[in-house]
Amino acid sequence: MKKILSLILLTLILNSINGQNLSGKWLLKDINIGTESVEAYPGFQLLIIDNIKADLYTDFSLSEKTLGLKIVDSQIITELNKKYGDYKLIDNNHLKLFINGKSNGKDTVFEFDFYRLLPTKTELKKKEIEKLTYIFKEDEKTNIEFKFNKELMKVETLKLLNKKEGHKMMIEQIDSTFFVSNYYSGKREASFPIKEVTAEFIKLYAIPTGPMELIAYRKK
């Protein structure tokens, strides 16, 4: 019995060391510099971990990695075997990276909070979601409308700005995760993962610089 328990413990330790428990896709939610939070969208950054290998992508198509990394013990090192930073697994779905740098000329530690990219819970297909419209009530005066594949900017405003395209929301996908992507002037500006979507509501998760969940309900 003791031998079996020892083997199980050894397996858990080895898995922790070689990064097995980290394998998956991790999306950056927000960045902290020292004790201050960066109140801005950090841009699309997806960390893909496979055993001890970690690749960072900053383009939604995942066609070209931005950085190749390796995980050794509790450290992350570059392909040139130089230390990139440290990491801590807060829980099974929350990974924090600590990277030394400078802010306003002073040494500081940048903290990057990544959350595991999970499959969207839904029975709907992409084409079905795109036909629905949802409303998020931000406050008593402001409502945000989630309407897909349609120009959201008024014609008068487009003419005034001399633009052919203004603002559009699109449903996009990485593996089994759907995203709401905002496009401005034909370019993707921000993409937010959908945690769950039904014919009655859409729920976004790990919203950058904001709440962990945002729920919008179907427009009647």
Side-chain angles (χ1 to χ4, degrees):
M1 185 68 177
K2 288 184 178 180
K3 186 176 180 180
I4 293 174
L5 289 174
S6 296
L7 286 173
I8 293 173
L9 181 60
L10 179 60
T11 301
L12 290 173
I13 292 172
L14 289 174
N15 283 343
S16 176
I17 290 174
N18 65 26
Q20 289 281 357
N21 59 333
L22 300 178
S23 291
K25 292 181 174 66
W26 300 83
L27 185 69
L28 179 64
K29 179 184 183 292
D30 48 32
I31 303 172
N32 292 305
I33 302 176
T35 58
E36 297 182 7
S37 178
V38 178
E39 297 297 329
Y41 177 61
F44 178 83
Q45 296 191 43
L46 190 69
L47 187 66
I48 300 179
I49 300 177
D50 181 12
N51 200 2
I52 64 169
K53 180 184 178 184
D55 293 324
L56 181 67
Y57 293 84
T58 55
D59 68 300
F60 195 89
S61 65
L62 308 182
S63 58
E64 187 176 345
K65 68 180 179 182
T66 302
L67 191 63
L69 301 164
K70 293 185 292 184
I71 297 174
V72 179
D73 296 333
S74 61
Q75 292 187 347
I76 298 178
I77 62 175
T78 67
E79 292 177 325
L80 299 176
N81 292 321
K82 292 184 178 180
K83 183 179 177 180
Y84 181 73
D86 300 291
Y87 76 84
K88 181 178 180 181
L89 191 63
I90 306 301
D91 58 46
N92 192 49
N93 294 321
H94 182 189
L95 176 66
K96 186 182 283 286
L97 268 58
F98 304 89
I99 300 174
N100 294 327
K102 287 185 178 293
S103 177
N104 297 322
K106 296 181 179 179
D107 292 333
T108 190
V109 177
F110 292 80
E111 297 183 12
F112 295 80
D113 286 288
F114 285 82
Y115 287 83
R116 191 184 295 275
L117 195 63
L118 300 173
T120 299
K121 296 179 182 178
T122 187
E123 295 181 357
L124 301 177
K125 296 179 180 179
K126 181 174 178 286
K127 290 182 178 179
E128 294 174 315
I129 302 170
E130 291 172 332
K131 294 177 182 178
L132 301 172
T133 299
Y134 303 90
I135 298 291
F136 171 67
K137 189 172 183 180
E138 190 172 24
D139 52 46
E140 293 183 0
K141 297 181 179 180
T142 307
N143 291 332
I144 298 175
E145 192 170 76
F146 289 79
K147 185 185 294 185
F148 308 108
N149 298 340
K150 296 181 180 179
E151 179 57 62
L152 301 178
M153 194 173 286
K154 293 181 180 179
V155 176
E156 296 81 5
T157 305
L158 285 172
K159 289 182 178 179
L160 183 64
L161 298 174
N162 193 28
K163 289 186 175 183
K164 293 183 179 180
E165 296 180 89
H167 176 208
K168 284 186 177 181
M169 286 186 178
M170 311 285 285
I171 296 294
E172 298 188 294
Q173 188 174 359
I174 293 178
D175 296 339
S176 299
T177 306
F178 288 116
F179 288 75
V180 172
S181 293
N182 278 301
Y183 280 77
Y184 292 91
S185 300
K187 295 182 179 180
R188 184 191 296 104
E189 293 293 333
S191 297
F192 309 114
I194 300 174
K195 181 176 183 178
E196 185 176 2
V197 57
T198 71
E200 298 303 319
F201 67 86
I202 186 169
K203 183 185 296 184
L204 308 185
Y205 76 96
I207 306 300
T209 68
M212 289 300 296
E213 284 189 358
L214 179 153
I215 305 177
Y217 294 93
R218 185 178 177 183
K219 184 178 181 180
K220 303 297 183 181

